[in-house]
């Protein structure tokens, strides 16, 4: 019997499953479907090519084998799809594969009652980062000298982004080198500190799998009682084999996680410094960049924190219609409503047709708010900072003091 905190090497006992490493994730998903613990699996599969990751709901476990493997250009975020298209998992049970940003978005949506976590099994994936499909195609062409249409497989290994072509070419370039040239992982991934998403029920990766199991087993950490039940069930059902992790591997995994978190923090400092400070620096920069906005609402549609039926940015008295760019109030509304809860998923940057680095601006504010209030979004079910602001009290204070500085009381304490 396993328990929260236990760790294993695990690999599939199902011949058809060819996983990214041990195939443990696909085997666990198969067990969940076959045993009817879940009605469906929401995961990601290859579409037209390796750059085209598409979300898919699988209800027949025979279809799972084709979803196995990791798509590093799969930048999509699954929780908002559950809210939008699957009624927030309120009337069905789902298993979902979650990178760190998926896991954090899941918690933020759950605490807003937009999805029902009781009906969801979160199968976590360690995540070193993902690459925008557009950037990937461009860099494969310009840096690798390879036609991206010829690429049949990609992987990230030992700090390199590696591609393989249909005629057997195999080329890797160091991610650090690519990122120095403004390529490589998405900028939000470079800033990310959630490498092993322990908010999930179970979390799987390849870090720490060494020795004869290297490349053949998945490193599994059990993160909840639900995760333990699922893992034990999969082993008992005969779809999963396990062994104790190599102690040296355990140590390596811990070291890699720490290094990656430090790198994330360092990249935050670097990227936040580049947008300046204060009213004359950062605010002016943000106003200039967002003046390209064409009010397509893409950032709002894709953001897991934005779920309101009546969005304030669509109210004429707040953001007058018929003006492009929209008044800066459009951006201010988003900043005010979301900054305390931004999970740095990068969706609002990915979808912006005007290349506005929206997630950089929001994440920079989130980090400042975290310093003030200690609230870290997406880590647990703690309510967002704004949930504690009483509108009536705030209006009374505004009337009495004339100040619209909502956080003033906190600064005085
Ligand atoms: P499989 O049985 O092959 O199953 C993998 C599952 O992941 C499938 O269900 C598939 O649909 C799903 N999936 C594939 N791509 C995505 C995606 N983009 N978003 C959501 N779900 C997806 N592990 C590490 O230890 N270190 C890392 O640095 C690391 N980086 C990763 C980066 C990305 C973008 C992804 C997707 C995964 C990363 N992983 C990393 C996890 C690792 O690649 C394997 O997914 C994990 O070890 C499980 O292996 P498996 O053989 O058990 O998975
Ligand atoms: Fe992975 Fe973090 Fe990027 Fe999400 S934001 S894809 S968890 S590195
Ligand atoms: Fe993700 Fe952007 Fe929303 Fe932050 S503001 S949670 S980065 S979509
Ligand atoms: Fe809701 Fe504000 Fe997002 Fe609009 S911008 S959907 S009002 S949180
Ligand atoms: Fe403006 Fe970009 Fe958001 Fe569209 S996605 S509304 S252009 S900031």
């Amino acid at each position: 019997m396993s328990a929260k905190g236990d760790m294993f090497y695990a690999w599939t006992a199902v011949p058809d499953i060819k996983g990214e490493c041990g195939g443990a994730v696909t085997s666990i998903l198969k067990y969940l479907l076959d045993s009817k613990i879940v009605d469906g699996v929401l995961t990601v599969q290859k579409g037209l090519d390796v750059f085209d990751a598409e979300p898919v709901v699988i209800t027949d476990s025979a279809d799972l084998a084709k979803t196995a493997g990791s798509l590093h250009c799969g930048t999509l975020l699954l929780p908002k799809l559950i809210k939008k298209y699957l009624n927030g998992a309120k009337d069905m049970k789902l298993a979902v594969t979650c990178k760190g940003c998926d896991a954090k978005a899941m918690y933020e949506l759950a605490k807003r009652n937009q999805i029902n976590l009781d009906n969801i099994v979160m199968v976590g994936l360690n995540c070193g980062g993902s690459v925008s499909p557009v950037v990937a195609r461009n860099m494969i062409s310009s840096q690798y000298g390879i036609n991206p249409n010829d690429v049949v497989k990609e992987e990230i290994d030992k700090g390199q982004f590696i591609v393989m072509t249909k005629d057997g070419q195999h080329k890797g370039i160091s991610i650090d080198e690519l990122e120095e040239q403004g390529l490589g992982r998405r900028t939000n991934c470079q800033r990310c500190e959630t490498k092993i998403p322990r908010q999930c029920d179970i979390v799987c990766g390849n870090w720490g799998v060494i020795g004869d199991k290297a490349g053949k087993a998945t490193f599994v950490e059990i993160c909840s009682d639900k995760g333990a039940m699922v893992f034990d069930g999969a082993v008992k059902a005969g779809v999963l084999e396990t062994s104790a992790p190599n102690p040296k591997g355990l140590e390596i995994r811990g070291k890699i996680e720490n290094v990656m978190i430090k790198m994330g923090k360092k990249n935050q400092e670097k990227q936040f410094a580049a947008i300046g400070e204060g009213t004359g620096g950062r605010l002016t920069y943000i106003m200039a960049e967002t003046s390209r906005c064409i009010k397509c609402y893409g950032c709002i549609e894709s953001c897991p924190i934005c779920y309101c039926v009546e969005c304030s940015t669509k109210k004429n008295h707040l953001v007058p219609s018929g003006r492009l760019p929209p008044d800066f109030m459009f951006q201010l509304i988003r900043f005010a409503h979301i900054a305390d809860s931004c999970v740095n998923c990068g969706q609002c940057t990915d979808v912006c047709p005007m290349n506005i680095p929206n997630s950089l601006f929001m994440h920079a504010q989130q980090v400042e708010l975290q310093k003030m209030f200690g609230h870290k979004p997406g880590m647990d079910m703690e309510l967002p900072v704004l949930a504690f602001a009483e509108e009536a009290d705030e209006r009374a204070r505004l009337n009495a003091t004339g100040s619209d500085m909502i956080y003033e009381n906190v600064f005085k304490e």
Side-chain angles (χ1 to χ4, degrees):
M1 293 286 279
S2 66
K4 188 176 168 187
D6 286 352
M7 300 186 208
F8 299 91
Y9 283 172
W11 57 96
T12 187
V14 184
D16 290 352
I17 294 176
K18 307 276 177 264
E20 179 71 14
C21 13
V25 169
T26 310
S27 307
I28 289 168
L29 299 176
K30 177 179 162 51
Y31 162 70
L32 285 166
L33 267 183
D34 288 345
S35 60
K36 301 201 187 323
I37 293 175
V38 298
D39 306 305
V41 165
L42 173 62
T43 189
V44 173
Q45 70 181 13
K46 190 168 100 174
L48 288 175
D49 54 33
V50 295
F51 309 105
D52 180 30
E54 55 182 34
V56 60
V57 176
I58 305 269
T59 50
D60 179 349
S61 70
D63 296 332
L64 274 174
K66 64 174 189 272
T67 67
S70 298
L71 292 166
H72 297 97
C73 299
T75 56
L76 62 186
L77 195 81
L78 299 176
K80 183 106 188 226
L81 303 182
I82 303 176
K83 142 83 188 146
K84 267 191 172 177
Y85 304 111
L86 299 170
N87 193 27
K90 286 179 181 155
D91 44 20
M92 74 184 294
K93 292 194 189 290
L94 272 180
V96 188
T97 54
C98 297
K99 307 181 296 303
C101 46
D102 290 301
K104 290 189 288 184
M106 205 75 101
Y107 274 41
E108 288 304 315
L109 278 162
K111 65 177 82 155
R112 289 166 174 79
N113 291 324
Q114 299 304 302
I115 56 174
N116 182 3
L117 270 193
D118 290 342
N119 276 349
I120 296 176
V121 179
M122 292 168 67
V123 181
L125 306 173
N126 294 357
C127 189
S130 57
V131 184
S132 143
V134 178
V135 172
R137 289 184 70 92
N138 287 342
M139 76 188 188
I140 288 167
S141 181
S142 66
Q143 309 295 309
Y144 292 64
I146 287 175
N147 181 344
N149 294 333
D150 293 340
V151 173
V152 288
K153 188 160 169 37
E154 52 71 30
E155 63 183 35
I156 296 183
D157 191 28
K158 298 189 180 70
Q160 289 202 326
F161 183 72
I162 303 165
V163 297
M164 283 140 267
T165 64
K166 55 187 176 196
D167 55 3
Q169 276 190 77
H170 191 278
K171 187 163 182 180
I173 299 183
S174 131
I175 291 180
D176 286 349
E177 208 178 294
L178 292 166
E179 285 175 6
E180 270 162 32
Q181 298 174 63
L183 301 165
R185 296 170 304 163
R186 294 185 295 161
T187 47
N188 65 302
C189 294
Q190 294 174 29
R191 299 190 302 270
C192 179
E193 295 175 62
T194 314
K195 302 289 111 191
I196 301 182
R198 296 186 177 85
Q199 303 92 319
C200 296
D201 295 301
I202 195 163
V203 66
C204 303
N206 51 31
W207 287 332
V209 184
I210 58 167
D212 60 346
K213 286 282 181 288
K216 296 182 198 137
T218 311
F219 195 114
V220 178
E221 180 172 342
I222 312 285
C223 304
S224 72
D225 294 343
K226 201 199 279 184
M229 186 199 75
V230 168
F231 185 75
D232 291 344
V235 174
K236 203 166 163 210
V239 297
L240 208 57
E241 292 185 34
T242 69
S243 70
N246 182 316
K248 183 83 193 150
L250 204 67
E251 196 187 311
I252 292 173
R253 178 178 180 261
K255 278 191 181 150
I256 300 177
E257 185 187 16
N258 283 337
V259 169
M260 296 291 292
I261 292 172
K262 274 192 194 140
M263 267 168 56
K265 285 194 201 312
K266 215 167 143 193
N267 285 328
Q268 284 178 24
E269 279 168 25
K270 195 168 138 195
Q271 292 185 27
F272 297 161
I275 59 172
E277 263 185 36
T279 320
R282 188 170 294 183
L283 181 62
T284 310
Y285 184 82
I286 292 177
M287 288 181 83
E289 283 288 298
T290 54
S291 69
R292 297 196 299 276
C293 176
I294 56 168
K295 206 164 71 161
C296 70
Y297 299 109
C299 46
I300 293 171
E301 280 298 313
S302 60
C303 178
I305 319 297
C306 279
Y307 63 89
C308 310
V309 178
E310 283 189 32
C311 176
S312 304
T313 64
K314 292 184 180 161
K315 293 191 171 144
N316 208 28
H317 63 280
L318 293 172
V319 184
S321 59
R323 289 190 204 158
L324 281 187
D327 283 11
F328 190 57
M329 181 56 86
F330 177 88
Q331 310 293 341
L332 284 177
I333 290 172
R334 284 236 329 130
F335 295 155
H337 291 182
I338 293 145
D340 64 347
S341 299
C342 172
V343 294
N344 184 37
C345 66
Q347 301 299 310
C348 52
T349 296
D350 291 350
V351 299
C352 182
M354 302 312 288
N355 287 329
I356 300 168
N358 288 307
S359 68
L360 171 64
F361 298 156
M362 200 69 88
H363 189 202
Q365 294 176 59
Q366 183 275 316
V367 167
E368 290 305 316
L369 288 171
Q370 190 176 317
K371 282 184 206 157
M372 287 182 204
F373 299 100
H375 175 67
K376 211 171 176 187
M379 302 311 286
D380 50 35
M381 292 301 280
E382 188 183 284
L383 290 176
V385 177
L386 280 183
F388 299 101
E390 293 286 346
E391 193 184 351
D393 290 355
E394 284 311 316
R395 282 192 191 284
R397 190 185 49 73
L398 178 64
N399 286 338
T401 63
S403 166
D404 61 355
M405 190 63 202
I406 192 169
Y407 301 124
E408 201 159 80
N409 292 337
V410 178
F411 290 129
K412 278 183 187 156
E413 274 167 14

